[in-house]
Amino acid sequence: MKSILILNGPNLNLLGSRQPNVYGATTLPQIQENCVEKADILNIKIDFIQSNHEGALIDALHGAKGVHDGIILNAGAYTHTSIAIMDAISSVELPVIELHLSNIHAREPFRHKSFIAPVAVGVIAGFGPHGYVLALEAMVAHLGQ
Ligand code: DQA
């Protein structure tokens, strides 16, 4: 059975109350529940992690090697700043899908730059919480049988 790590970065623990005009009213535990339901349908295993700390996200990426088959990563603002996370993705050699709730390209110019996109297999942005379900489908298709 394939296993996928869903990794969430800084401030995503506040979903539901954080700028609901941008990120919506759905909480991270609700998103996790949606992912668990989708994983059941897709017949895969998932792990769901959130951290506000860059080093902890890097540790989680390292820890995925040999454990998970792919990673869905919403790195939050670290997307736009973290060469260290980019290097960690390159180092673990697992397929990563970059994910954002909001359409980062329709927002401030500093959000248009992603250090993750060049080392990701693809990017999903702008579909709100449904993006997580889309990313699971995309990863399963990418991994094949
Ligand atoms: C985000 C977009 C980032 O620019 C922002 O810093 C976040 C959330 C998103 O899911 O839309 O924290 O990754």
Side-chain angles (χ1 to χ4, degrees):
M1 189 183 270
K2 301 281 188 213
S3 179
I4 296 174
L5 173 63
I6 304 169
L7 190 54
N8 294 282
N11 301 307
L12 293 168
N13 55 312
L14 299 180
L15 284 179
S17 60
R18 172 194 186 198
Q19 296 177 274
N21 54 318
V22 177
Y23 298 113
T26 309
T27 65
L28 198 61
Q30 286 167 340
I31 289 175
Q32 181 172 3
E33 191 49 46
N34 294 344
C35 290
V36 167
E37 281 171 20
K38 188 67 183 183
D40 240 36
I41 294 165
L42 293 170
N43 199 29
I44 55 168
K45 286 197 296 186
I46 59 163
D47 252 1
F48 199 94
I49 297 176
Q50 189 274 331
S51 176
N52 292 320
H53 305 279
E54 189 175 17
L57 294 168
I58 292 166
D59 287 343
L61 288 165
H62 293 176
K65 197 169 174 70
V67 175
H68 298 288
D69 300 292
I71 301 166
I72 294 165
L73 175 61
N74 185 348
Y78 287 138
T79 304
H80 319 297
T81 62
S82 181
I83 295 169
I85 289 179
M86 177 182 78
D87 283 349
I89 293 168
S90 300
S91 304
V92 297
E93 294 176 334
L94 286 170
V96 170
I97 293 177
E98 175 181 339
L99 175 65
H100 303 284
L101 294 139
S102 62
N103 178 0
I104 54 173
H105 299 288
R107 299 183 63 194
E108 304 95 321
F110 64 83
R111 294 187 204 275
H112 301 177
K113 166 77 186 170
S114 169
F115 282 99
I116 293 167
V119 291
V121 293
V123 181
I124 295 173
F127 295 100
H130 189 57
Y132 284 79
V133 170
L134 294 175
L136 281 174
E137 282 177 1
M139 184 59 84
V140 167
H142 178 78
L143 292 172
Q145 289 311 305

